[in-house]
Amino acid sequence: MDKKKVIGITGGAGSGKSEVMKILAGQFGAHIIVADEVARKLSMPGGRSYQKIVDYFGGNVLDGSGQIDRGRLAQIVFHDKALLEKLNSFTHPIVKEEILAEIDRAQKEPMCRLIVIESAIFIGAGYEDICDEFWLVYTDPDLRRQRMKESRGYSDEKVDSIMKNQPDDDLVKKACQRVIINNTTLDDVRAQISEILDDAGVV
């Protein structure tokens, strides 16, 4: 059985990563793994991260139904680097283990042509030993701002807060082997993906 290529895709908020995922899955037979969805599942009651988070941060991070209030937890760690690092130490290793298990399952799927992992925090997070390549979905900052305001209804203040905490695009570009420019149309994005995968010998 040929080993499928594993691609790590990253990009800032509003860059259009979800649209790239849809194209890769629908047109190119990719098995999609979204790291944030894996983390969310593991932090649900009964999940492997849940009790670690509750034991450390206390019941004030829970909502009325006993689930972790991710917004409340984010507010707690947002301005405290030490708390954020502690939270990451609970969650990141477990998320990585789960992703590795899903990659193993996907490698055995006959219809799967490649495996794509989407995350905002690949660079420096220890995924270099998992992914064959890293791709950046790049969109001009002004266009990202416009998309977040129009598609998500975010205020200027919320957009500013998000953009301020995004990784530096130039640093991420240097760590990625491929860049998809998403400033115009989805047809243009499809053409770029097709060319990249052809060059990589996937299609």
Side-chain angles (χ1 to χ4, degrees), residues 63-108:
D63 64 17
S65 64
Q67 298 192 45
I68 291 172
D69 186 322
R70 285 163 61 94
R72 192 177 303 165
L73 181 59
Q75 287 180 343
I76 291 171
V77 303
F78 187 75
H79 298 293
D80 191 320
K81 188 176 180 181
L83 286 179
L84 177 60
E85 288 176 353
K86 194 70 178 177
L87 175 63
N88 289 342
S89 75
F90 295 151
T91 57
H92 287 183
I94 298 173
V95 169
K96 191 175 179 182
E97 287 176 16
E98 188 65 28
I99 286 174
L100 282 167
E102 187 165 347
I103 289 172
D104 187 58
R105 293 190 293 269
Q107 289 285 2
K108 299 168 186 173

Side-chain angles (χ1 to χ4, degrees), residues 32-65:
I32 304 297
I33 303 170
V34 179
D36 193 53
E37 290 179 4
V38 174
R40 187 186 300 272
K41 179 181 176 182
L42 292 171
S43 66
M44 297 289 284
R48 292 172 62 198
S49 303
Y50 177 85
Q51 201 59 49
K52 289 176 182 263
I53 295 170
V54 175
D55 286 347
Y56 188 82
F57 289 95
N60 62 323
V61 299
L62 300 178
D63 64 17
S65 64

Side-chain angles (χ1 to χ4, degrees), residues 125-136:
Y127 282 80
E128 293 81 4
D129 58 338
I130 295 177
C131 298
D132 297 302
E133 290 185 0
F134 292 108
W135 297 4
L136 171 66

